[in-house]
Amino acid sequence: MKYILVTGGVISGIGKGIIASSIGTILKSCGLRVTAIKIDPYINIDAGTFSPYEHGEVFVLNDGGEVDLDLGNYERFLDINLYKDNNITTGKIYQHVINKERHGDYLGKTVQVVPHITDAVQEWVMNQAKVPVDDDRKEPQICVIEANANFLFQLGGTIGDIEGMPFVEAFRQFQFKARRENFCNIHVSLVPQPNATGEQKTKPTQNSVRALRGLGLSPDLIVCRSAKPIEMAVKEKISMFCHVEPEQVIFIHDVSSTYRVPILLEEQGIIKYFKQRLNLPIDDQPSDLLMKWKKMADRYERLLKVCSIALVGKYTKLSDCYASVFKALEHSALAINHKLDLMYIDSTELERSTEAENSVKYHQAWHKLCKADGILVPGGFGIRGTEGKLQAISWARTKKKPFLGVCLGMQLAVVEFARNCLNWKDANSTEFDPDTKNPVV
């Protein structure tokens, strides 16, 4: 088994999930069987009880596991089916160790972070890495591990966060247990470009790599994220100050589609590097799979026709709250050769109360809704914003706009029809009114 650990630096949300998924995609295109594990340092057992604003939408796996949305990236990019144990959290690890302690498995020893927690992390990774995730049910050959641990500030986003340190120590030990030829560390860092000077700054990356090395992990590849393509002089500077060869510094700038990222990685010789570094039985050139991927990315960027969809929801301040809806719409648009224009509309801004408080917001929201080609109302919890969703649903029905209601959106469509077409004015869901005379849901 070969292990590739992906860590992050400087800030969270830098794109470690997409980088990890893209690396897996490239290796799978070379004929290798790939699995993925996501490590989150929060004490929650899983992501099921999070507010959408905490970590974005919960991704639900085939086995019912409610996990971080990065596992959705892994499944989409790699075409695999993961399990709840592919998402490790501090809560799961401590629960596992405490259960063993209560069972007497430690034979009266003092249970400590080192070695018991760190050993539990390593055992979990080694066991889960062997679980088949492809349709052929064969054991994977490569395990890509994304430690939500950004080195500098937090391991859940950047290195240095106190709750993530046991995981850092676990992998410091693990690199020797797995042996060098089976373990590779990729560090994703930010190269900012302040508007005042326009100069791309390398100091945050230097500090991040220094902090990582101080904790006992040394990056084999440094993936530099930036808004614009990075200049060669910057690459040479990072190479010199971070003690790696220039070919070990990879640039990934912002692109129109995340599906372009594997192509950028492959163009910078990452297949050749992995072949040598991990002694992989692969060719230097990618297979037809990556060629098909490139054609898909090219087609995505050449699309001219646009389809605008209004997403009327309650958590629209963070797009990750509706990640699965966005991805489903994006893939659907691509399938019919259209570019998706997704307009997020806060359902509360469609309500009469908003018109009285802030008429500009109210009219802007309705303007977006009226110009959409289709309307989608997704799921949600609680009564807040439901009146605005009902208004959007009524508009779609009366103006014959294509409409899709998902979960709460579908339930409210039933409520709207009952109220306005059947004239059951108090029709409602028992979730909002347990005493309604017409409980249509």
Side-chain angles (χ1 to χ4, degrees):
M1 178 67 69
K2 308 288 185 181
Y3 300 92
I4 297 174
L5 175 66
V6 180
T7 56
V10 184
I11 61 170
S12 58
I14 201 170
K16 295 187 302 300
I18 298 298
I19 298 295
S21 303
S22 299
I23 288 166
T25 300
I26 290 170
L27 293 172
K28 187 166 184 177
S29 78
C30 295
L32 298 167
R33 296 186 299 277
V34 183
T35 187
I37 292 174
K38 174 72 189 295
I39 296 177
D40 288 299
Y42 44 70
I43 298 174
N44 304 61
I45 299 298
D46 59 32
T49 57
F50 281 147
S51 156
Y53 284 134
E54 286 292 310
H55 288 269
E57 184 183 39
V58 169
F59 187 76
V60 184
L61 300 169
N62 282 2
D63 65 357
E66 297 179 324
V67 296
D68 187 90
L69 56 79
D70 272 323
L71 276 82
N73 284 325
Y74 305 156
E75 289 203 344
R76 278 189 294 274
F77 274 68
L78 295 168
D79 193 21
I80 56 178
N81 287 310
L82 298 172
Y83 303 92
K84 61 184 178 183
D85 286 345
N86 285 81
N87 192 189
I88 302 174
T89 69
T90 295
K92 284 182 180 179
I93 294 294
Y94 273 82
Q95 186 181 58
H96 173 72
V97 170
I98 290 169
N99 287 342
K100 288 182 71 176
E101 185 273 333
R102 292 288 84 189
H103 192 254
D105 292 0
Y106 298 119
L107 303 175
K109 287 188 178 295
T110 302
V111 179
Q112 297 175 289
V113 172
V114 181
H116 301 101
I117 296 296
T118 52
D119 283 354
V121 172
Q122 294 172 61
E123 288 166 15
W124 193 306
V125 167
M126 287 189 291
N127 291 335
Q128 197 60 32
K130 296 174 184 175
V131 176
V133 291
D134 286 307
D135 292 337
D136 61 12
R137 311 311 298 160
K138 290 183 179 178
E139 185 177 308
Q141 298 163 290
I142 301 268
C143 180
V144 180
I145 307 157
E146 181 195 343
N148 200 4
N150 284 336
F151 289 82
L152 204 49
F153 303 115
Q154 34 167 325
L155 182 81
T158 50
I159 279 303
D161 213 16
I162 191 167
E163 62 188 4
M165 298 317 289
F167 293 107
V168 180
E169 174 59 21
F171 284 104
R172 186 196 67 77
Q173 298 172 19
F174 186 70
Q175 64 186 326
F176 302 111
K177 185 180 290 186
R179 304 182 71 84
R180 175 174 166 77
E181 63 271 20
N182 299 323
F183 183 88
C184 181
N185 178 210
I186 298 172
H187 191 57
V188 185
S189 186
L190 177 70
V191 177
Q193 190 170 1
N195 290 331
T197 62
E199 183 184 1
Q200 292 170 330
K201 298 293 185 181
T202 65
K203 192 65 73 179
T205 298
Q206 293 177 44
N207 290 336
S208 180
V209 171
R210 189 180 301 118
L212 178 60
R213 282 209 173 94
L215 294 166
L217 286 168
S218 189
D220 297 286
L221 284 175
I222 300 173
V223 177
C224 298
R225 289 280 291 108
S226 61
K228 297 177 182 177
I230 293 178
E231 299 157 9
M232 187 54 64
V234 176
K235 180 173 187 171
E236 291 169 353
K237 189 174 182 181
I238 291 171
S239 166
M240 180 172 63
F241 284 106
C242 294
H243 309 291
V244 293
E245 295 290 337
E247 59 265 24
Q248 291 173 263
V249 182
I250 306 290
F251 295 156
I252 302 293
H253 59 272
D254 291 349
V255 286
S256 59
S257 165
T258 56
Y259 303 117
R260 174 65 59 186
V261 176
I263 310 302
L264 292 178
L265 288 169
E266 188 272 327
E267 287 172 350
Q268 295 179 67
I270 202 168
I271 294 177
K272 184 180 178 182
Y273 179 80
F274 279 135
K275 180 183 178 182
Q276 294 172 346
R277 174 66 180 76
L278 296 173
N279 193 25
L280 298 175
I282 57 175
D283 296 326
D284 287 347
Q285 297 301 317
S287 69
D288 292 342
L289 179 63
L290 206 59
M291 293 300 104
K292 289 178 182 177
W293 192 279
K294 187 177 188 304
K295 287 178 182 176
M296 179 188 71
D298 290 342
R299 187 160 65 91
Y300 184 95
E301 291 174 357
R302 287 198 300 264
L303 296 172
L304 298 176
K305 295 179 182 177
V306 177
C307 181
S308 61
I309 302 293
L311 189 152
V312 183
K314 295 166 62 172
Y315 316 111
T316 54
K317 292 183 181 66
L318 182 66
S319 61
D320 273 355
C321 293
Y322 298 110
S324 64
V325 175
F326 168 69
K327 291 297 179 184
L329 289 169
E330 183 184 43
H331 294 179
S332 303
L334 182 60
I336 58 167
N337 296 314
H338 278 62
K339 189 167 281 188
L340 173 67
D341 174 23
L342 186 59
M343 300 180 291
Y344 292 93
I345 300 174
D346 189 328
S347 59
T348 59
E349 294 178 4
L350 298 172
E351 297 174 358
R352 288 291 181 187
S353 58
T354 301
E355 184 181 22
E357 296 166 9
N358 190 331
S359 61
V360 173
K361 257 187 187 177
Y362 174 81
H363 289 295
Q364 284 176 342
W366 273 102
H367 176 70
K368 283 204 286 191
L369 186 76
C370 293
K371 70 178 185 178
D373 297 318
I375 297 169
L376 191 150
V377 179
F381 296 92
I383 199 165
R384 182 183 66 84
T386 53
E387 196 55 44
K389 290 185 177 185
L390 286 167
Q391 294 281 345
I393 293 165
S394 185
W395 167 266
R397 180 179 57 79
T398 54
K399 300 298 179 183
K400 293 183 167 46
K401 288 275 186 181
F403 165 80
L404 176 62
V406 179
C407 195
L408 177 62
M410 183 278 292
Q411 296 180 37
L412 291 177
V414 174
V415 172
E416 191 279 332
F417 184 85
R419 288 182 184 179
N420 297 322
C421 295
L422 304 181
N423 211 29
W424 298 351
K425 296 304 177 185
D426 73 333
N428 213 331
S429 164
T430 54
E431 179 183 346
F432 307 125
D433 183 4
D435 302 320
T436 178
K437 293 177 182 175
N438 291 294
V440 291
V441 181

